[in-house]
Amino acid sequence: TKCFSLEPDPSGRCARMAQARSGRETLLASGDSSGGASVSQIQGSHRVSVEFSYFTFAGSIARHLVRHDAIEHDYTRWGETVSLLSPTAPSQKLGILGLFVVGFFWVSGGMYGCEGVMQMAPPGYVIAFLLFVPLIYCLPISLATAEMATMLPDGGMIDWIIEATGPLVGAHTTYWIWITYVFDAAIYPVLAGEYLSQEVDFSWAPGGAELGKDISVIILIFLVTLIKLVGMDVFVKFSTVLTTISLLPIVIYLGFGLPHINFKYLDDFDGKYNCGDNSTATNTSHTLLHAIASPVASSLLHAPMLSNLTAGSSSDDSTCEVMPVDWSALVPWVLWLYSGFFSLGAVAGDIDQPKRTFSIVIATLLPLVMLLNVIPLAIALSIDQNLDHFEAGFFNKVAAELAGSWLGYCFVAAANVCLVGLYSAQVLVAEESTSSFVATVLPDLVSPEGTLAKSNRVWRWLLNDSQGNAPIWIIFNGVCSMALAFLPYQLLVEFTMLIHVPPTLLFIYAYMYFRVKYPRLARPFNIPGGVIAGALLSAGPTAATLVNLYYSITDSTPTLGIPYLQAYSFASIIGVGVIVHLGYAASDRAVGTYRERTNNVSYADLFRDN
C-alpha cells in the first residue's frame, strides 16, 4: 500500500514490484512455452525473499541450521523480516531441520493455555475437533501459503492480496491484521497471569484476587515494553536458554503422564461429570494400556493420585452435570490453536528443494502438533475428570500431581517464559503494521524526518526508528495490550479469530486468483491439478472460516453483560475502517486541490496551515 502513496521510493522496492508485475504480464503475454519464468527472472537482478522470523525463541537455534554466506541488508515491513540480498551473493537456504524447528514455534510453541478448550464441549467433541480440523484447515492453508511464497517470495499475505485485489482492499487488510495481532498479543500475558495465579495468592490486592492478577499482567506488559524501548532484546540474546526452559517441563510432563492415559475418557460425547464421585457416568473397564502402565507408574513415580484412576463405580446419571457443546467457543478456539500454519509457508522461498523439504516437514510437524494438543489434555483428563477444573493454569496442578510440587513450579516458570516470548513476537508484528500503516497515511507528519520529529526532542525520540520500531509504536501497542488485559482470555481468542475472517477469505481469493490468471507462472512448490485442485484445497479452510463467522456473530450469550457482543464489535471494527478510509479519501482530494493551488506543498504544510 505504501507504493501507492505520494512519497518517494528510496529503497527501490516499489519499482521492483512494478517491474515484477510488468515482467509477469510480458512473459505470459509472450506465451512462454517453458511453463513459466523463474522467480529470479521475473524479479530481475535483485532477489527479495521472506526470511524466517527470529522473533521467537527458536530463532537462534535455527540460525545455526542455516547457511549464512550472503551479505544481508535487513529491513522489516508488514511484520515480516525481509532480507535484501546483493545480486552476487549466494542465497541462504533453510534445510529440513531448520524449517522444522522454526515451524514448530510458529505453529505451536507448547501446550500452555489450551486447558480451557475442555470446558467448551464434551471430551469426545474436543478430541475429534483437535484431530480433524488440522486436516481440513491447517494442511490446506500451509500448502497454499507455501505455493504462494515460492511463486512470489517478495512479500507476504498482504502483498499477495494487494496484487489480487488492489491497494484499497490491501489497506483494509492491513488494518484488520493489525487488529488481529493486537488482540492475539494480549492473549499471552493474560494466560501468563492465569498460570501465575495458580501458585501466587493475589488476594492481597485492594480489589481482590482478580484485580491483583490483572495488575500482574499490566506489570508484565510494562516490563516487556520497557525492555523493547531500551533495546535489550533478551528474548533473542538468551533464546536458546529460554527455549530449553519453556520446553523441558513439557517433556517431563509427558514422560510422567503417558502411563496414566485412560482412553475411555476420551470418547465421551455425553459430557456427564461430577456424578457423585470422581468417576464419570460412562465409567467402564480400564484399558489394557492403563492396566499395564498404572502399577509400573505407581512404583516409579510414587504418585498419590493413582488410586483415583482406578476408583469409582457407576453412578446415578441424575446427579451428573452435563457439559454442553458451545460451538461459538469451540470452533474459534481450535482454529486459534492451529492458526500458526498460516506462517509456515512464508519461508518456502528460502529452503533447499522446496517441494521435498516442505513435504517432509509438514508430514512430520502436523501430526506432532496434533499430538501435542491432544496428549496433554488426555493425561489431565485421566487424572481429573471434573471439567470445571480445566482452566488456564490447570496443567500446573496436574504436573504437581504427577511428579511433585517441583514440576508444578517449573511449569509456572516455563509457561510464563514461553507466553511472554509469544507476546513479544505477536506485539512486534502489531508494531510493524502500525508503523507502516500510519506512515502510509501521514508520511510527512510521522516519519523520522517529518514535521513532528523536527518540532522537539520528545517527538524526535518517539519517531526515531534507527534501532528498529519507533518508540511511539512500541508504547502505543503496549498500551493497547494493557487495556485488553482486563478482558477474559476466552473472549480475546474468539474475537481474534473473528476479525481474522476477512484476511483469511481474501488470502484464499488471492490464491485462486493466481491459479486462474497465472496458471503458468513458475511455482517451485506446486500443488498439481490446476484450478480444480486449488478449489478443492480451498474448500476446507473456506468452510471452516465461514462456520466460525456464523457461530461468532450469531452467539447471543451475554458477554460482559452484552448479548451479541462479538457481532457488534466486528461491525464496529469494519465500520471504523470504512470511516477512516472515507475521511482519508476526502483529505487526499483536498490535498490534491491544495497542491494545485499552492505549487505542490506537502501534507505537513496542509496540517500546519489548517
Side-chain angles (χ1 to χ4, degrees):
T1 308
K2 193 173 184 179
C3 294
F4 292 88
S5 68
L6 301 176
E7 284 298 287
D9 180 29
S11 67
R13 181 174 188 268
C14 299
R16 290 194 300 277
M17 290 178 65
Q19 178 186 1
R21 189 179 299 107
S22 176
R24 285 196 295 273
E25 298 286 355
T26 302
L27 287 166
L28 292 172
S30 64
D32 179 28
S33 59
S34 64
S38 68
V39 174
S40 58
Q41 289 174 321
I42 289 174
Q43 295 191 248
S45 60
H46 286 278
R47 174 177 173 272
V48 180
S49 62
V50 177
E51 183 185 345
F52 64 86
S53 171
Y54 293 116
F55 303 155
T56 60
F57 302 149
S60 66
I61 296 177
R63 285 184 93 112
H64 300 297
L65 306 176
V66 180
R67 296 196 297 274
H68 287 274
D69 301 322
I71 300 173
E72 303 177 48
H73 306 282
D74 290 337
Y75 65 96
T76 308
R77 177 177 171 80
W78 302 123
E80 296 163 338
T81 304
V82 181
S83 175
L84 178 61
L85 306 182
S86 63
T88 58
S91 62
Q92 56 181 348
K93 295 296 182 181
L94 193 63
I96 294 175
L97 184 58
L99 181 61
F100 182 87
V101 171
V102 175
F104 173 78
F105 279 87
W106 262 346
V107 303
S108 177
M111 64 193 216
Y112 306 111
C114 67
E115 304 98 317
V117 73
M118 296 300 296
Q119 293 190 355
M120 299 169 187
Y125 285 95
V126 173
I127 300 301
F129 261 67
L130 290 174
L131 295 176
F132 178 67
V133 166
L135 301 179
I136 66 167
Y137 182 77
C138 310
L139 181 60
I141 287 293
S142 59
L143 293 176
T145 309
E147 180 175 315
M148 294 291 290
T150 56
M151 180 180 64
L152 298 173
D154 181 12
M157 179 192 291
I158 295 177
D159 295 281
W160 305 332
I161 292 174
I162 290 175
E163 288 273 356
T165 63
L168 172 60
V169 177
H172 284 274
T173 304
T174 307
Y175 164 66
W176 296 327
I177 288 181
W178 170 69
I179 296 291
T180 299
Y181 277 99
V182 167
F183 275 83
D184 194 31
I187 295 170
Y188 302 105
V190 174
L191 286 174
E194 294 286 345
Y195 270 83
L196 193 61
S197 67
Q198 297 294 325
E199 302 296 338
V200 178
D201 184 11
F202 289 112
S203 59
W204 51 265
E210 193 66 27
L211 181 60
K213 181 183 65 178
D214 293 337
I215 293 174
S216 70
V217 174
I218 299 298
I219 294 174
L220 182 63
I221 296 174
F222 174 80
L223 291 177
V224 174
T225 304
L226 184 62
I227 290 173
K228 294 166 72 69
L229 286 174
V230 299
M232 297 172 55
D233 197 348
V234 295
F235 308 113
V236 174
K237 292 180 180 179
F238 303 104
S239 55
T240 303
V241 175
L242 296 176
T243 301
T244 304
I245 293 175
S246 64
L247 292 183
L248 187 58
I250 296 178
V251 176
I252 298 174
Y253 175 94
L254 295 176
F256 277 87
L258 280 173
H260 300 318
I261 292 182
N262 192 333
F263 292 99
K264 76 185 182 72
Y265 297 122
L266 306 184
D267 60 356
D268 173 22
F269 289 87
D270 295 328
K272 296 178 180 179
Y273 66 103
N274 284 359
C275 298
D277 57 15
N278 61 343
S279 66
T280 65
T282 56
N283 200 354
T284 60
S285 60
H286 296 295
T287 62
L288 178 62
L289 174 64
H290 180 269
I292 296 175
S294 184
V296 177
S298 297
S299 60
L300 293 178
L301 308 180
H302 305 288
M305 92 300 297
L306 289 179
S307 58
N308 294 340
L309 296 176
T310 57
S313 57
S314 60
S315 304
D316 182 7
D317 286 5
S318 62
T319 66
C320 297
E321 297 183 49
V322 178
M323 179 63 67
V325 181
D326 185 356
W327 296 109
S328 62
L330 179 63
V331 174
W333 255 85
V334 175
L335 293 181
W336 177 70
L337 288 175
Y338 292 108
S339 61
F341 277 90
F342 264 102
S343 304
L344 188 59
V347 298
D350 292 301
I351 62 176
D352 280 320
Q353 305 176 9
K355 189 169 186 177
R356 174 179 177 272
T357 301
F358 195 82
S359 299
I360 293 175
V361 169
I362 197 66
T364 53
L365 186 60
L366 183 62
L368 174 64
V369 174
M370 292 168 62
L371 292 175
L372 194 58
N373 282 329
V374 171
I375 292 179
L377 292 173
I379 294 173
L381 190 63
S382 300
I383 299 299
D384 187 347
Q385 295 81 51
N386 190 339
L387 300 181
D388 290 336
H389 295 166
F390 282 79
E391 299 177 344
F394 180 58
F395 283 145
N396 294 355
K397 297 180 179 179
V398 177
E401 289 283 334
L402 285 171
S405 58
W406 65 272
L407 185 57
Y409 294 135
C410 289
F411 240 82
V412 175
N416 278 269
V417 168
C418 183
L419 294 169
V420 167
L422 290 171
Y423 165 72
S424 180
Q426 299 300 88
V427 79
L428 180 57
V429 181
E431 293 162 6
E432 294 292 348
S433 299
T434 310
S435 175
S436 297
F437 189 77
V438 176
T440 300
V441 177
L442 301 172
D444 293 334
L445 190 66
V446 298
S447 67
E449 297 80 22
T451 304
L452 289 178
K454 294 177 181 179
S455 61
N456 56 61
R457 291 183 179 181
V458 176
W459 278 112
R460 191 177 305 118
W461 174 76
L462 287 172
L463 294 170
N464 179 20
D465 59 359
S466 60
Q467 301 298 322
N469 289 320
I472 188 173
W473 311 127
I474 296 176
I475 295 172
F476 173 73
N477 284 279
V479 171
C480 289
S481 297
M482 291 180 186
L484 295 174
F486 292 94
L487 297 177
Y489 68 90
Q490 298 93 334
L491 178 62
L492 294 174
V493 170
E494 294 168 16
F495 191 73
T496 294
M497 297 312 300
L498 176 59
I499 201 63
H500 197 57
V501 166
T504 301
L505 296 177
L506 286 170
F507 165 76
I508 295 171
Y509 170 79
Y511 172 70
M512 290 304 301
Y513 169 86
F514 282 100
R515 278 251 163 175
V516 173
K517 190 167 184 178
Y518 300 114
R520 293 185 296 149
L521 195 61
R523 294 167 169 85
F525 182 90
N526 184 34
I527 302 168
V531 175
I532 295 178
L536 293 175
L537 190 73
S538 304
T542 303
T545 303
L546 292 177
V547 168
N548 176 40
L549 175 64
Y550 170 78
Y551 279 115
S552 296
I553 64 177
T554 59
D555 181 20
S556 61
T557 305
T559 304
L560 304 179
I562 305 174
Y564 296 104
L565 176 63
Q566 290 200 70
Y568 294 143
S569 301
F570 182 70
S572 299
I573 293 294
I574 301 297
V576 168
V578 172
I579 292 172
V580 171
H581 165 74
L582 294 176
Y584 177 68
S587 67
D588 195 41
R589 288 193 295 270
V591 168
T593 304
Y594 193 81
R595 284 183 170 177
E596 291 177 2
R597 193 170 67 246
T598 57
N599 193 23
N600 198 33
V601 298
S602 66
Y603 276 98
D605 296 324
L606 178 65
F607 281 110
R608 184 177 61 250
D609 296 344
N610 296 272

